[in-house]
């Protein structure tokens, strides 16, 4: 059982704070590190992998310091986001080299290549691989020594749906085996499909931690803003404001639309078409005005 | 201290098609010029010494040292593929030492070998000129490889800095300011070559004891420091 502990870790580059006082514990199973682009996920993963020193705080694996500790890599497998990976080698040569650097041989490399189903292309140069194939060979190189902790930085980037499903199944299996698997992503649906436990990072801060469904509910239950145009805006506004699912409605004369703030997402989405039908009002436009992932994350930080 | 897998990866990266062509360009040029000079001038010791000293030792060896020394690690750090070496339980000084051995070997093969051939073409090793400059090239290969490997570890502009050192400091300042010659790998290696062959055709501005001490100190310090820098190498994210 491997536990990665991030204890009051901050990292700044000059005046820019990339990671701000984050404390989290990553245990066995699959954990998703979720956050918008530029949130500090890669910085955090680089510190977890021992490639960046925290400005303050500590990163430890079962109590052992990660930074400047080569021996720790017997237990860590890393799948970096970057593409570069000795393109002049074949997939097999690359994985064999990774195995040898762990003191293992070609047998371990072959097993890892079989795990990621890359045997069919193992003798082709890496330079000829598609992004998904590269990703799988990177996985093989990270798995070759049977690590108890697997760190993956945006592993699904550029993968087609089939490859994505395969990798997800593989990671799920590794989590079920009791390994500690942490992957980063900025796509909610990816995390939803794979991780029960998530850590959310926004603007370098730890925004949320815990069960995915609870956090998803928190995201869903936040106040939603809608822009609505109808055949009779004022009548619609009067009918909607009497319901507890709305907290404010503005008649925007310039736009010729209603700006509605809903506090109960589920109830409001059922209410709106019903009220319109009951009052004989035609809905012309219903558009959510703050559905970007960034706004969802910002809400979480404020919550 | 030596890891055969790191060595294999470094050799393959250094001797890839394009880099091998670049590494071969100057040696081929040296040999071609030697053939032409021999054809035009005939066997002349002074001409041989001038050409080997001016083109081989002063220009070719440091440039090949820059390509091999910085190329042994710089591109891996630049593109981030070094992460596959660093995420292994291999000691950082072992990685540096192995890469140094590879860089030295490549520099020696591409600089000392052609120097010897050119020397024999020019005057058939008369007054041991070919052997003397080959010894100088071998000795300089070690120090250049160590210096430029360190540069490749600490700077993204290692090739530029390396060329500035090799061409501006050693060639230009070395010919204008006598003090600069004391701090020149080229002069140290010539001091050793002079001692080995005892000939008057190979001379150095630096005495053998100073040259030897400086060669050892520079090589050892540069290698040690590169190992330390690699231990705390930071791989910034793409964010």
């Amino acid at each position: 059982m491997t536990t990665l502990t991030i204890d009051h870790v901050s990292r700044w580059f000059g005046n820019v704070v990339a990671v701000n006082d984050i404390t989290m514990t990553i245990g066995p199973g699959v954990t998703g590190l979720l956050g918008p682009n530029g949130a500090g996920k890669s910085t955090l993963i680089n510190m977890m992998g021992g490639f960046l020193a925290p400005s303050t705080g500590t990163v430890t694996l079962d109590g052992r310091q990660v930074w400047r500790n080569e021996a720790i890599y017997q237990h860590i497998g890393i799948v970096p986001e970057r593409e570069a990976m000795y393109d002049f080698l074949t997939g097999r040569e690359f994985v064999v080299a990774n195995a040898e650097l762990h003191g293992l041989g070609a047998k371990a490399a072959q097993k890892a290549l079989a795990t990621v189903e890359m045997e069919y292309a193992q003798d082709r140069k890496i330079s000829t691989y598609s992004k998904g194939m590269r990703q799988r060979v990177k996985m093989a190189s990270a798995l070759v020594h049977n690590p108890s902790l697997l760190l993956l930085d945006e592993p699904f980037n550029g993968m087609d749906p089939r490859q994505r499903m395969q990798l997800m199944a593989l990671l799920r299996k590794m989590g079920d085996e009791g390994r500690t698997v942490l992957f980063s992503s900025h796509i909610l649906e990816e995390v939803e499909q794979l991780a029960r436990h998530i850590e959310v990072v926004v603007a370098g801060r730890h925004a949320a931690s815990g069960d995915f469904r609870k956090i998803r509910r928190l995201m869903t239950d936040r106040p939603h803003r809608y822009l609505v145009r109808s055949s009779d805006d004022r009548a619609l506004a009067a009918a909607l404001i009497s319901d507890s699912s709305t907290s404010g409605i503005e008649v925007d004369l310039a736009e010729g639309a209603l700006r509605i703030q809903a506090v109960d997402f589920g109830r409001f989405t059922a209410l709106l078409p019903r009220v319109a039908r009951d009052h004989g009002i035609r809905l012309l436009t219903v558009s959510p005005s703050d559905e970007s992932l960034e706004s969802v994350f910002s809400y979480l930080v404020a919550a | 201290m030596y890891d055969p897998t790191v060595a294999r990866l470094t050799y393959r990266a250094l001797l890839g098609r394009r880099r091998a062509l670049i590494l071969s360009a100057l040696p081929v040029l040296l040999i071609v010029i030697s053939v032409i000079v021999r054809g035009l001038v005939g066997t002349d010791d002074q001409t041989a010494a001038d050409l080997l000293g001016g083109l081989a030792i002063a220009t070719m060896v440091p440039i090949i040292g820059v390509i091999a020394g910085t190329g042994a690690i710089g591109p891996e750090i630049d593109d981030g593929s070094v992460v596959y070496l660093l995420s292994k339980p291999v000691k950082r000084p072992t990685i540096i030492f192995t890469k140094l051995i590879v860089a030295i070997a490549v520099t020696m093969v591409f600089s000392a070998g052609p120097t010897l051939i050119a020397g024999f073409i020019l005057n058939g090793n008369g007054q041991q000129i070919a052997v003397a400059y080959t010894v100088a090239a071998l000795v300089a290969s070690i120090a250049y490889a160590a210096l430029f490997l360190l540069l490749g570890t600490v700077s993204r502009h290692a090739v530029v800095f390396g060329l500035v050192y090799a061409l501006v400091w050693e060639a230009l300042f070395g010919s204008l300011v006598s003090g600069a010659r004391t701090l020149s790998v080229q002069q140290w290696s010539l001091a050793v070559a002079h001692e080995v062959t005892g000939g008057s055709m190979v001379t150095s501005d630096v005495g053998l004891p100073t040259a030897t001490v400086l060669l050892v100190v520079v090589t050892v310090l540069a290698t040690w420091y590169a190992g330390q820098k690699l231990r705390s190498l930071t791989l910034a994210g793409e964010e």
Side-chain angles (χ1 to χ4, degrees):
Chain A
M1 295 296 237
T2 298
T3 306
L4 182 68
T5 308
I6 290 99
D7 187 19
H8 292 289
V9 164
S10 296
R11 172 72 207 199
W12 48 84
F13 299 95
N15 288 331
V16 180
V17 180
V19 168
N20 191 351
D21 196 26
I22 288 184
T23 296
M24 58 172 76
T25 304
I26 316 289
V30 181
T31 299
L33 180 65
L34 181 66
N37 283 329
K41 299 189 299 296
S42 286
T43 305
L44 201 53
I45 285 201
N46 274 324
M47 289 193 282
M48 291 175 181
F51 300 121
L52 190 63
S55 301
T56 61
T58 53
V59 179
T60 51
L61 184 66
D62 291 334
R64 283 165 297 175
Q65 190 88 22
V66 172
W67 174 243
R68 287 181 73 128
N69 180 7
E70 294 105 352
I72 208 88
Y73 294 111
Q74 285 164 352
H75 311 285
I76 306 181
I78 290 168
V79 180
E81 187 184 5
R82 288 217 194 180
E83 285 284 298
M85 50 187 293
Y86 300 97
D87 285 11
F88 50 85
L89 298 178
T90 65
R92 192 213 300 259
E93 287 170 339
F94 178 72
V95 182
V96 167
N98 277 277
E100 287 174 354
L101 290 166
H102 278 291
L104 303 165
K107 212 172 146 193
Q110 211 52 51
K111 197 174 152 211
L113 281 161
T115 306
V116 299
E117 296 174 29
M118 271 300 285
E119 286 163 306
Y120 75 98
Q122 64 187 7
D123 293 317
R124 269 171 54 190
K125 285 250 168 80
I126 291 174
S127 55
T128 67
Y129 282 1
S130 70
K131 185 144 185 174
M133 292 164 91
R134 281 171 176 269
Q135 206 65 18
R136 278 191 282 164
V137 169
K138 281 199 232 169
M139 270 294 282
S141 77
L143 293 176
V144 78
H145 59 302
N146 224 359
S148 52
L149 168 67
L150 196 58
L151 296 173
L152 306 100
D153 197 358
E154 299 276 358
F156 304 106
N157 266 2
M159 280 192 152
D160 67 36
R162 196 177 139 268
Q163 292 166 340
R164 200 174 292 218
M165 295 257 289
Q166 273 179 346
L167 183 56
M168 281 188 181
L170 181 60
L171 294 180
R172 216 172 277 133
K173 184 169 150 252
M174 312 209 75
D176 292 343
E177 287 169 2
R179 289 177 219 260
T180 302
V181 179
L182 178 117
F183 72 99
S184 70
S185 173
H186 61 280
I187 298 166
L188 207 57
E189 287 69 25
E190 272 177 11
V191 180
E192 186 167 23
Q193 284 174 50
L194 186 56
R196 198 168 300 151
H197 186 93
I198 66 167
E199 304 288 344
V200 184
V201 176
V202 185
R205 290 168 58 200
H206 195 191
S209 167
D211 184 79
F212 183 87
R213 275 164 298 180
K214 278 190 197 157
I215 294 173
R216 179 82 209 213
R217 206 170 305 130
L218 193 63
M219 290 177 173
T220 312
D221 289 349
R222 78 195 196 283
H224 284 59
R225 287 190 180 77
Y226 291 92
L227 184 94
V228 176
R229 288 193 182 88
S230 70
S231 54
D232 189 346
D233 285 349
R234 282 182 190 276
L236 184 64
L240 288 174
I241 198 66
S242 62
D243 192 89
S244 61
S245 65
T246 58
S247 62
I249 301 179
E250 179 196 346
V251 182
D252 189 333
L253 293 173
E255 276 283 324
L258 294 177
R259 294 190 181 278
I260 302 172
Q261 179 153 322
V263 283
D264 183 337
F265 171 76
R267 192 181 157 99
F268 176 77
T269 48
L271 174 78
L272 179 63
R274 200 178 62 237
V275 164
R277 192 187 58 219
D278 292 350
H279 290 77
I281 299 168
R282 272 189 75 193
L283 292 173
L284 306 173
T285 306
V286 178
S287 82
S289 50
D290 60 349
E291 281 298 285
S292 72
L293 198 57
E294 277 69 16
S295 75
V296 177
F297 286 130
S298 307
Y299 169 73
L300 277 180
V301 176
Chain B
M1 278 305 276
Y2 179 83
D3 187 296
T5 308
V6 175
R8 196 173 70 237
L9 290 173
T10 311
Y11 272 118
R12 297 268 313 253
L14 264 182
L15 301 178
R17 206 176 299 155
R18 212 178 53 185
R19 208 177 289 270
L21 275 177
I22 298 172
L23 280 167
S24 310
L26 277 172
V28 168
L29 183 70
L30 175 71
I31 291 170
V32 169
I33 291 176
S34 302
V35 171
I36 294 170
V37 168
R38 173 69 190 261
L40 293 175
V41 184
T43 309
D44 180 65
D45 292 349
Q46 191 57 53
T47 310
D50 289 347
L51 190 63
L52 292 182
L55 183 60
I57 301 300
T59 311
M60 184 183 76
V61 183
I63 289 178
I64 288 177
V66 169
I67 299 168
T70 61
I73 198 162
E76 276 169 284
I77 293 178
D78 275 356
D79 70 15
S81 57
V82 74
V83 69
Y84 295 102
L85 294 185
L86 299 183
S87 60
K88 302 295 181 294
V90 179
K91 295 223 169 297
R92 306 307 187 237
T94 300
I95 296 176
I96 288 294
F97 183 74
T98 306
K99 284 182 173 290
L100 174 67
I101 298 295
V102 174
I104 289 174
V106 169
T107 312
M108 283 181 170
V109 167
F110 283 88
S111 67
T115 302
L116 186 67
I117 296 169
F120 271 92
I121 292 171
L122 284 163
N123 76 337
N125 195 29
Q127 292 196 56
Q128 291 227 331
I129 287 175
V131 171
Y133 281 106
T134 303
V135 169
L138 289 172
V139 171
S141 294
I142 299 172
Y144 282 134
L147 260 182
F148 297 135
L149 183 68
L150 169 63
L151 263 184
T153 310
V154 299
S155 170
R156 292 195 156 216
H157 309 289
V159 175
V160 177
F161 289 135
L163 288 176
V164 166
Y165 169 79
L167 299 177
V168 178
W169 178 263
E170 292 222 341
L172 190 65
F173 279 102
S175 61
L176 298 174
V177 188
S178 62
R181 283 198 284 269
T182 314
L183 293 176
S184 151
V185 172
Q186 182 191 333
Q187 292 300 326
W188 306 339
S189 63
L190 287 173
V192 176
H194 173 76
E195 182 64 23
V196 170
T197 58
S200 59
M201 298 303 285
V202 183
T203 56
S204 171
D205 294 334
V206 187
L208 182 68
T210 313
T212 312
V213 169
L214 287 173
L215 275 168
V216 172
V217 167
V218 162
T219 305
V220 171
L221 265 185
T223 309
W224 171 80
Y225 190 57
Q228 292 305 307
K229 289 306 282 184
L230 197 64
R231 281 197 75 196
S232 6
L233 185 76
T234 289
L235 295 179
E238 294 198 356
E239 291 183 328

